[in-house]
């Protein structure tokens, strides 16, 4: 068995997604998204978000972010995001590539969150024709360091966005975990908070693969199907992305999976707070725990077979839980760590 707190994409397919995948496989279906499963999943998203949004399905998060950002701006525009944003640090320049050159402007803020001041600073820094015009604001919810924007924080961001006529993009690679953490409706965290486009990940929530892109501002979705096709993101057997999505939505597993992952992260965080020599780097608000431990201890944990990421600098461990993390795994991890400290 793989021992890990590496990422939620290390986990397999959850039963609800698998069951609908099998159902979809029980009969042939129309190709390229003109099937019943895709229509039903899109309707279900509109129900869940309480609005008549446009819904598209693509294979992965990098494509979802890049293609949706490209549809929100022109090549001479810029996208404001946090310096730790996945679109900046982990997409190999895909947003710039897909948009034919739109520039990312990097903002700052504690805990991976953009502040209104930082956004305003970037947007007002230049207004001449020699600099790409700011057009989009991208927020990651929850952030790359496992914190969650509150509704008040989103409202403050929206106020700046409105003032400078910026569209709002939300990278929801772990969107369900943010909803579970805040205990509010999906609509409240998105379009009611001014979000124009949401990339909602199914992969990290328990599917084999697949992301939904929701355009709350339908105008931005014009010809988006062509953009997906050109980018190689139109699944010919789309029903095998949309059917498992329907499974997550109809069963409620999208939220219970996220709640379970969040609970495991809280449990892990609490256990680690009692271990001397372990220091939390960020607050645990979703399904990731960030702690600092001595470098030799991290190496020894790896020698014991544990996998985790350490991209946040020397001594920093990122521990991510998912829909199938168990309390026993948390206990084993904490016991191993304790034995080394
Ligand atoms: C995982 C992740 C993505 C998507 O990554 P892919 O590997 O392209 O599916 C996007 N944003 C964030 C914050 C992520 O954690």
């Amino acid at each position: 068995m793989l021992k890990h707190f590496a990422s939620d994409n290390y986990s397999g397919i959850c039963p609800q997604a698998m069951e609908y995948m099998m159902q979809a496989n029980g009969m042939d279906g129309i190709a390229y998204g003109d099937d019943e499963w895709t229509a039903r999943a899109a309707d279900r998203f509109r129900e869940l978000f309480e609005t008549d949004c446009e819904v598209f399905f693509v294979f992965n998060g990098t494509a979802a972010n890049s293609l949706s950002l490209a549809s929100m701006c022109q090549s001479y525009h810029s996208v404001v995001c946090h310096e730790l944003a996945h679109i900046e640090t982990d997409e190999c320049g895909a947003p710039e590539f897909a948009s034919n050159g739109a520039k990312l402007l990097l903002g700052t803020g504690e805990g991976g969150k953009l502040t209104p001041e930082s956004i305003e600073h970037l947007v007002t820094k230049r207004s001449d024709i020699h600099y790409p015009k700011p057009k989009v604001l991208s927020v990651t919810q929850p952030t790359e360091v496992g914190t969650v924007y509150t509704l008040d924080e989103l409202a403050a961001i929206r106020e700046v966005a409105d003032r400078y006529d910026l569209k709002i993009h939300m990278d929801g690679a772990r969107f369900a975990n943010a909803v579970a953490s805040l205990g509010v409706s999906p609509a409240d965290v998105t379009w009611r908070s001014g979000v124009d486009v949401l990339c909602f990940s199914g992969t990290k929530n328990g599917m084999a693969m697949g992301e939904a892109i929701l355009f709350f501002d339908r105008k931005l979705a014009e010809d988006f199907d062509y953009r997906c096709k050109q980018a190689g993101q139109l699944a010919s057997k789309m029903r095998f992305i949309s059917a498992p999505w329907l499974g997550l939505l109809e069963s409620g597993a999208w939220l219970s999976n996220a709640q379970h992952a969040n609970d495991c992260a809280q449990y892990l965080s609490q256990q680690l707070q009692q271990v001397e020599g372990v220091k939390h780097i960020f607050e645990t608000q979703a399904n990731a725990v960030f702690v600092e431990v001595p470098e030799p201890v991290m190496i020894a944990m790896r020698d014991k077979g544990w996998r985790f990421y350490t991209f946040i600098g020397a001594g920093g461990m990122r521990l991510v839980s998912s829909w199938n993390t168990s309390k026993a795994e948390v206990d084993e991890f904490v016991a191993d760590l304790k034995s080394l400290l």
Side-chain angles (χ1 to χ4, degrees):
M1 208 181 83
L2 197 64
K3 301 202 299 186
H4 76 92
F5 283 93
S7 183
D8 22 22
N9 54 23
Y10 271 50
S11 297
I13 305 168
C14 72
Q16 296 85 348
M18 193 52 131
E19 193 202 311
Y20 276 62
M21 188 94 144
M22 303 285 276
Q23 280 183 30
N25 197 41
M27 61 197 106
D28 286 354
I30 303 170
Y32 297 107
D34 291 327
D35 62 283
E36 276 297 302
W37 296 101
T38 302
R40 282 171 63 195
D43 280 343
R44 200 71 198 207
F45 271 112
R46 290 187 266 268
E47 241 172 71
L48 179 64
F49 283 82
E50 307 168 59
T51 186
D52 190 22
C53 52
E54 286 267 20
V55 183
F56 297 87
F57 298 99
V58 296
F59 292 105
N60 58 36
T62 298
N65 281 336
S66 304
L67 298 177
S68 60
L69 285 169
S71 74
M72 299 174 81
C73 63
Q74 299 288 336
S75 57
Y76 46 82
H77 286 142
S78 54
V79 176
V80 173
C81 66
H82 195 277
E83 58 189 355
L84 297 176
H86 196 271
I87 57 171
E88 157 66 9
T89 63
D90 289 290
E91 298 190 355
C92 198
E96 294 92 330
F97 181 65
S99 63
N100 292 311
K103 185 182 171 76
L104 300 185
L105 302 182
L106 308 183
T108 54
E110 292 280 296
K113 294 183 192 176
L114 274 174
T115 61
E117 296 72 32
S118 173
I119 297 164
E120 180 145 31
H121 169 73
L122 285 171
V123 173
T124 55
K125 196 167 72 167
R126 291 272 293 270
S127 60
D128 59 281
I129 197 134
H130 304 278
Y131 200 68
K133 186 178 175 185
K135 195 64 174 180
V136 184
L137 186 57
S138 179
V139 290
T140 309
Q141 177 76 320
T143 70
E144 286 72 7
V145 296
T147 56
V148 176
Y149 285 96
T150 64
L151 292 187
D152 284 345
E153 286 168 336
L154 290 176
I157 283 177
R158 179 199 194 156
E159 198 270 318
V160 190
D162 284 349
R163 195 146 20 102
Y164 297 103
D165 200 20
L166 305 173
K167 308 238 173 275
I168 303 181
H169 165 267
M170 183 173 274
D171 176 348
R174 299 185 174 89
F175 179 73
N177 302 89
V179 173
S181 171
L182 290 168
V184 298
S185 75
D188 286 340
V189 212
T190 56
W191 61 273
R192 283 197 198 112
S193 289
V195 173
D196 297 294
V197 181
L198 168 70
C199 297
F200 187 166
S201 174
T203 309
K204 286 176 178 159
N205 193 233
M207 283 172 44
M209 74 195 74
E211 321 284 298
I213 306 171
L214 277 54
F215 286 86
F216 303 111
D217 179 347
R218 296 182 70 107
K219 287 192 302 295
L220 294 172
E222 195 186 331
D223 296 340
F224 193 70
D225 42 353
Y226 288 86
R227 193 183 288 282
C228 289
K229 174 65 191 179
Q230 185 182 51
Q233 287 285 328
L234 173 64
S236 71
K237 288 187 177 177
M238 194 183 287
R239 58 192 184 278
F240 294 109
I241 295 179
S242 51
W245 256 123
L246 190 64
L248 290 177
L249 298 176
E250 284 193 341
S251 66
W254 71 276
L255 191 59
S256 55
N257 282 352
Q259 188 64 59
H260 172 82
N262 289 3
D263 291 346
C264 288
Q266 275 308 326
Y267 178 61
L268 173 61
S269 168
Q270 282 158 17
Q271 297 299 305
L272 292 177
Q273 262 155 27
Q274 287 152 33
V275 183
E276 212 169 312
V278 176
K279 196 174 132 238
H280 279 67
I281 308 172
F282 299 106
E283 215 179 307
T284 302
Q285 295 176 337
N287 63 324
V289 180
F290 289 81
V291 286
E292 209 171 271
V293 298
E295 186 89 25
V297 174
M298 290 205 309
I299 294 166
M301 283 298 276
R302 288 214 162 109
D303 287 344
K304 282 181 181 287
W306 289 103
R307 285 167 190 264
F308 47 85
Y309 284 98
T310 51
F311 58 75
I312 34 169
M317 264 182 177
R318 185 192 79 160
L319 306 168
V320 178
S321 53
S322 77
W323 70 269
N324 68 348
T325 303
S326 68
K327 280 207 160 160
E329 280 173 286
V330 173
D331 291 337
E332 192 187 342
F333 182 88
V334 174
D336 279 352
L337 195 62
K338 268 185 184 159
S339 73
L340 294 167
L341 278 160

Coordinates of all heavy atoms in Angstrom, one line a residue, residues 78-132:
S78 N -3.7 41.5 -19.2 CA -3.0 40.8 -18.2 C -4.0 40.2 -17.1 O -5.1 40.7 -17.0 CB -2.0 41.7 -17.5 OG -2.6 42.9 -17.1
V79 N -3.5 39.3 -16.4 CA -4.2 38.5 -15.4 C -3.5 38.7 -14.1 O -2.4 38.3 -13.9 CB -4.3 37.0 -15.8 CG1 -5.0 36.2 -14.7 CG2 -5.0 36.8 -17.1
V80 N -4.3 39.3 -13.1 CA -3.7 39.4 -11.8 C -3.9 38.2 -11.0 O -5.0 37.7 -10.9 CB -4.3 40.6 -11.1 CG1 -3.9 40.7 -9.6 CG2 -4.1 41.9 -11.8
C81 N -2.8 37.6 -10.4 CA -3.0 36.5 -9.5 C -2.0 36.5 -8.4 O -1.0 37.3 -8.4 CB -2.8 35.2 -10.3 SG -1.2 34.9 -11.0
H82 N -2.1 35.7 -7.4 CA -1.1 35.6 -6.3 C 0.2 35.0 -6.8 O 0.2 34.1 -7.7 CB -1.7 34.8 -5.2 CG -0.9 35.0 -3.9 ND1 0.2 34.3 -3.6 CD2 -1.1 35.8 -2.8 CE1 0.7 34.6 -2.4 NE2 -0.2 35.6 -1.9
E83 N 1.3 35.4 -6.2 CA 2.6 34.8 -6.7 C 2.7 33.3 -6.5 O 3.5 32.7 -7.1 CB 3.7 35.6 -6.0 CG 3.7 35.5 -4.5 CD 4.7 36.4 -3.8 OE1 5.6 37.0 -4.5 OE2 4.7 36.5 -2.5
L84 N 1.9 32.8 -5.6 CA 1.9 31.3 -5.4 C 0.9 30.6 -6.2 O 0.7 29.4 -6.1 CB 1.6 31.0 -3.9 CG 2.6 31.5 -2.9 CD1 2.2 31.1 -1.4 CD2 4.0 30.9 -3.1
A85 N 0.1 31.3 -7.1 CA -1.0 30.7 -7.8 C -0.5 29.6 -8.7 O 0.6 29.7 -9.4 CB -1.7 31.8 -8.6
H86 N -1.2 28.5 -8.8 CA -0.9 27.4 -9.6 C -0.7 27.8 -11.1 O 0.2 27.3 -11.8 CB -2.1 26.4 -9.6 CG -1.8 25.0 -10.1 ND1 -2.0 24.7 -11.4 CD2 -1.3 23.9 -9.5 CE1 -1.7 23.4 -11.5 NE2 -1.3 22.9 -10.4
I87 N -1.5 28.8 -11.6 CA -1.4 29.3 -13.0 C 0.0 29.9 -13.2 O 0.5 29.9 -14.3 CB -2.5 30.2 -13.4 CG1 -2.6 31.4 -12.5 CG2 -3.9 29.5 -13.4 CD1 -3.6 32.5 -13.0
E88 N 0.6 30.4 -12.1 CA 1.9 31.0 -12.2 C 3.0 29.9 -12.0 O 4.0 29.9 -12.8 CB 2.1 32.1 -11.2 CG 3.5 32.5 -10.8 CD 4.3 33.1 -11.9 OE1 3.8 33.4 -13.0 OE2 5.6 33.2 -11.7
T89 N 2.9 29.1 -11.0 CA 4.0 28.2 -10.6 C 3.9 26.8 -11.2 O 4.9 26.2 -11.2 CB 4.0 28.1 -9.1 OG1 2.8 27.5 -8.6 CG2 4.1 29.5 -8.4
D90 N 2.8 26.4 -11.6 CA 2.7 24.9 -12.0 C 2.0 24.6 -13.3 O 1.5 23.5 -13.5 CB 1.9 24.2 -10.8 CG 2.8 24.1 -9.6 OD1 3.7 23.4 -9.6 OD2 2.5 24.8 -8.6
E91 N 1.9 25.6 -14.2 CA 1.2 25.3 -15.4 C 2.1 25.5 -16.7 O 1.6 25.6 -17.8 CB -0.2 26.0 -15.5 CG -1.1 25.5 -14.4 CD -2.5 26.0 -14.4 OE1 -2.9 26.7 -15.3 OE2 -3.3 25.5 -13.5
C92 N 3.4 25.6 -16.4 CA 4.3 25.6 -17.5 C 4.0 26.7 -18.6 O 4.3 26.5 -19.7 CB 4.4 24.2 -18.2 SG 5.8 24.0 -19.2
G93 N 3.5 27.8 -18.1 CA 3.2 28.9 -19.0 C 1.9 28.7 -19.9 O 1.7 29.4 -20.8
A94 N 1.1 27.7 -19.5 CA -0.1 27.4 -20.3 C -1.1 28.5 -20.5 O -1.6 28.7 -21.5 CB -0.8 26.1 -19.8
P95 N -1.3 29.3 -19.4 CA -2.3 30.4 -19.6 C -1.7 31.4 -20.6 O -2.5 32.0 -21.4 CB -2.3 31.0 -18.2 CG -2.0 29.9 -17.2 CD -1.0 29.1 -18.0
E96 N -0.5 31.7 -20.5 CA 0.1 32.7 -21.5 C 0.1 32.1 -22.9 O -0.2 32.7 -23.9 CB 1.6 33.0 -21.1 CG 1.8 33.7 -19.8 CD 2.0 32.8 -18.6 OE1 1.4 31.7 -18.6 OE2 2.7 33.2 -17.7
F97 N 0.3 30.8 -23.0 CA 0.3 30.1 -24.3 C -1.1 30.1 -24.9 O -1.3 30.4 -26.1 CB 0.8 28.6 -24.1 CG 0.9 27.8 -25.3 CD1 1.8 28.0 -26.3 CD2 0.1 26.6 -25.4 CE1 1.9 27.2 -27.4 CE2 0.2 25.8 -26.5 CZ 1.0 26.1 -27.5
A98 N -2.1 29.7 -24.1 CA -3.4 29.6 -24.6 C -4.0 30.9 -25.0 O -4.8 31.0 -25.9 CB -4.3 28.9 -23.5
S99 N -3.5 32.0 -24.3 CA -4.1 33.3 -24.6 C -3.2 34.1 -25.6 O -3.5 35.2 -25.8 CB -4.1 34.1 -23.3 OG -2.8 34.3 -22.7
N100 N -2.3 33.4 -26.1 CA -1.3 34.0 -27.1 C -0.6 35.2 -26.5 O -0.2 36.1 -27.2 CB -2.1 34.5 -28.4 CG -2.6 33.3 -29.2 OD1 -1.9 32.4 -29.5 ND2 -3.9 33.4 -29.5
G101 N -0.3 35.1 -25.2 CA 0.6 36.1 -24.6 C 0.1 37.0 -23.5 O 0.8 37.9 -23.1
A102 N -1.1 36.8 -23.0 CA -1.6 37.6 -21.9 C -0.6 37.3 -20.7 O -0.1 36.2 -20.5 CB -3.0 37.2 -21.5
K103 N -0.2 38.4 -20.1 CA 0.8 38.4 -19.0 C 0.2 38.2 -17.6 O -0.9 38.8 -17.4 CB 1.6 39.7 -19.1 CG 2.8 39.8 -18.1 CD 3.4 41.2 -18.3 CE 4.5 41.5 -17.3 NZ 5.7 40.8 -17.6
L104 N 0.8 37.4 -16.8 CA 0.4 37.3 -15.4 C 1.1 38.3 -14.6 O 2.3 38.5 -14.7 CB 0.7 35.9 -14.9 CG 0.1 34.6 -15.6 CD1 0.4 33.4 -14.8 CD2 -1.4 34.8 -15.7
L105 N 0.3 39.1 -13.8 CA 0.8 40.1 -12.9 C 0.7 39.5 -11.5 O -0.4 39.1 -11.1 CB 0.1 41.4 -13.0 CG 0.0 42.1 -14.3 CD1 -0.8 43.4 -14.2 CD2 1.4 42.3 -14.9
L106 N 1.9 39.4 -10.8 CA 1.9 38.7 -9.5 C 1.7 39.6 -8.3 O 2.5 40.5 -8.1 CB 3.2 37.9 -9.4 CG 3.5 37.0 -10.6 CD1 4.8 36.2 -10.4 CD2 2.4 36.1 -10.9
G107 N 0.6 39.2 -7.6 CA 0.3 40.0 -6.4 C 0.8 39.2 -5.1 O 1.3 38.1 -5.2
T108 N 0.5 39.8 -4.0 CA 1.0 39.2 -2.7 C -0.2 39.2 -1.7 O -1.2 39.8 -2.0 CB 2.1 40.0 -2.1 OG1 1.8 41.4 -2.0 CG2 3.4 39.9 -3.0
G109 N 0.1 38.6 -0.6 CA -0.8 38.6 0.5 C -0.5 37.4 1.4 O 0.0 36.4 0.9
E110 N -0.8 37.5 2.7 CA -0.6 36.5 3.6 C -1.4 35.2 3.3 O -2.5 35.3 2.8 CB -1.1 36.9 5.0 CG -0.2 38.0 5.6 CD 1.0 37.5 6.3 OE1 0.9 36.7 7.2 OE2 2.1 37.8 5.8
G111 N -0.8 34.1 3.6 CA -1.6 32.8 3.5 C -2.0 32.5 2.1 O -3.1 31.9 1.9
G112 N -1.3 33.0 1.1 CA -1.7 32.7 -0.3 C -2.8 33.4 -0.9 O -3.3 33.2 -2.0
K113 N -3.3 34.4 -0.1 CA -4.5 35.2 -0.5 C -4.1 36.6 -1.0 O -3.4 37.3 -0.4 CB -5.5 35.4 0.7 CG -6.1 34.1 1.2 CD -7.0 34.5 2.3 CE -7.5 33.3 3.1 NZ -8.3 33.8 4.3
L114 N -4.7 36.9 -2.2 CA -4.5 38.2 -2.7 C -5.2 39.2 -1.9 O -6.4 39.0 -1.4 CB -5.1 38.3 -4.1 CG -4.3 37.9 -5.3 CD1 -5.2 37.9 -6.6 CD2 -3.1 38.8 -5.5
T115 N -4.6 40.4 -1.6 CA -5.3 41.4 -0.9 C -5.8 42.5 -1.9 O -5.2 42.7 -2.9 CB -4.4 42.1 0.1 OG1 -3.3 42.7 -0.6 CG2 -3.8 41.1 1.1
P116 N -6.9 43.2 -1.5 CA -7.4 44.3 -2.3 C -6.3 45.3 -2.6 O -6.1 45.8 -3.7 CB -8.5 44.9 -1.5 CG -8.9 43.8 -0.6 CD -7.7 43.0 -0.3
E117 N -5.4 45.6 -1.6 CA -4.3 46.6 -1.8 C -3.3 46.1 -2.8 O -2.9 46.9 -3.6 CB -3.6 46.8 -0.4 CG -4.4 47.4 0.7 CD -5.4 46.4 1.3 OE1 -5.2 45.2 1.3 OE2 -6.5 46.8 1.7
S118 N -3.0 44.8 -2.8 CA -2.0 44.3 -3.7 C -2.6 44.4 -5.1 O -1.9 44.7 -6.1 CB -1.7 42.9 -3.3 OG -0.9 42.3 -4.3
I119 N -3.9 44.0 -5.3 CA -4.5 44.1 -6.6 C -4.5 45.5 -7.1 O -4.1 45.8 -8.2 CB -6.0 43.6 -6.5 CG1 -6.0 42.1 -6.1 CG2 -6.7 43.8 -7.9 CD1 -7.4 41.6 -5.6
E120 N -4.9 46.4 -6.2 CA -5.0 47.8 -6.6 C -3.6 48.4 -7.0 O -3.5 49.1 -8.0 CB -5.5 48.7 -5.5 CG -5.7 50.1 -5.8 CD -6.9 50.8 -5.2 OE1 -7.2 50.3 -4.1 OE2 -7.4 51.7 -5.8
H121 N -2.6 48.0 -6.3 CA -1.2 48.4 -6.6 C -0.8 47.9 -8.0 O -0.3 48.7 -8.8 CB -0.3 47.8 -5.6 CG 1.2 48.0 -5.9 ND1 1.8 49.2 -5.9 CD2 2.1 47.1 -6.4 CE1 3.1 49.1 -6.3 NE2 3.3 47.8 -6.6
L122 N -1.1 46.7 -8.3 CA -0.7 46.1 -9.6 C -1.5 46.8 -10.8 O -1.0 47.1 -11.9 CB -1.0 44.6 -9.7 CG 0.0 43.7 -8.9 CD1 -0.5 42.3 -8.9 CD2 1.4 43.8 -9.6
V123 N -2.8 47.1 -10.5 CA -3.6 47.6 -11.6 C -3.4 49.1 -11.8 O -3.5 49.5 -13.0 CB -5.1 47.4 -11.2 CG1 -6.1 48.0 -12.1 CG2 -5.4 45.9 -11.1
T124 N -2.9 49.8 -10.8 CA -2.7 51.2 -11.0 C -1.3 51.6 -11.3 O -1.0 52.8 -11.5 CB -3.2 52.0 -9.8 OG1 -2.5 51.5 -8.6 CG2 -4.7 51.9 -9.6
K125 N -0.4 50.6 -11.2 CA 1.0 50.8 -11.4 C 1.3 51.5 -12.7 O 2.2 52.4 -12.8 CB 1.7 49.5 -11.3 CG 3.2 49.5 -11.1 CD 3.8 48.1 -10.7 CE 3.8 47.2 -11.9 NZ 4.5 46.0 -11.7
R126 N 0.6 51.1 -13.7 CA 0.9 51.6 -15.1 C -0.5 51.8 -15.8 O -1.4 51.0 -15.6 CB 1.7 50.7 -15.9 CG 3.2 50.5 -15.4 CD 4.1 51.6 -16.1 NE 4.2 51.4 -17.5 CZ 5.2 50.6 -18.1 NH1 6.0 50.0 -17.3 NH2 5.2 50.5 -19.4
S127 N -0.6 52.8 -16.6 CA -1.8 52.9 -17.4 C -1.5 53.3 -18.8 O -2.4 53.6 -19.6 CB -2.7 54.0 -16.7 OG -2.0 55.2 -16.8
D128 N -0.2 53.2 -19.2 CA 0.2 53.6 -20.5 C 0.1 52.4 -21.5 O -0.1 51.2 -21.1 CB 1.6 54.1 -20.5 CG 2.6 53.1 -20.0 OD1 2.6 52.9 -18.7 OD2 3.2 52.4 -20.8
I129 N 0.2 52.7 -22.7 CA 0.0 51.7 -23.8 C 1.1 50.7 -23.9 O 1.0 49.7 -24.6 CB -0.2 52.4 -25.1 CG1 -0.8 51.5 -26.2 CG2 1.1 53.0 -25.7 CD1 -1.9 52.1 -26.9
H130 N 2.2 50.9 -23.2 CA 3.4 50.1 -23.3 C 3.3 48.9 -22.3 O 4.2 48.0 -22.3 CB 4.7 50.9 -23.0 CG 4.8 52.0 -23.9 ND1 5.3 51.9 -25.2 CD2 4.4 53.3 -23.7 CE1 5.2 53.1 -25.8 NE2 4.7 54.0 -24.9
Y131 N 2.2 48.8 -21.6 CA 2.1 47.7 -20.5 C 0.8 47.0 -20.8 O -0.2 47.7 -21.1 CB 2.1 48.4 -19.2 CG 2.5 47.4 -18.0 CD1 3.7 46.9 -17.9 CD2 1.5 47.1 -17.1 CE1 4.1 46.0 -16.9 CE2 1.8 46.2 -16.0 CZ 3.1 45.7 -16.0 OH 3.4 44.9 -14.9
P132 N 0.7 45.7 -20.6 CA -0.5 45.0 -20.9 C -1.6 45.4 -19.9 O -1.4 45.5 -18.7 CB -0.2 43.5 -20.7 CG 1.1 43.5 -20.0 CD 1.8 44.7 -20.3

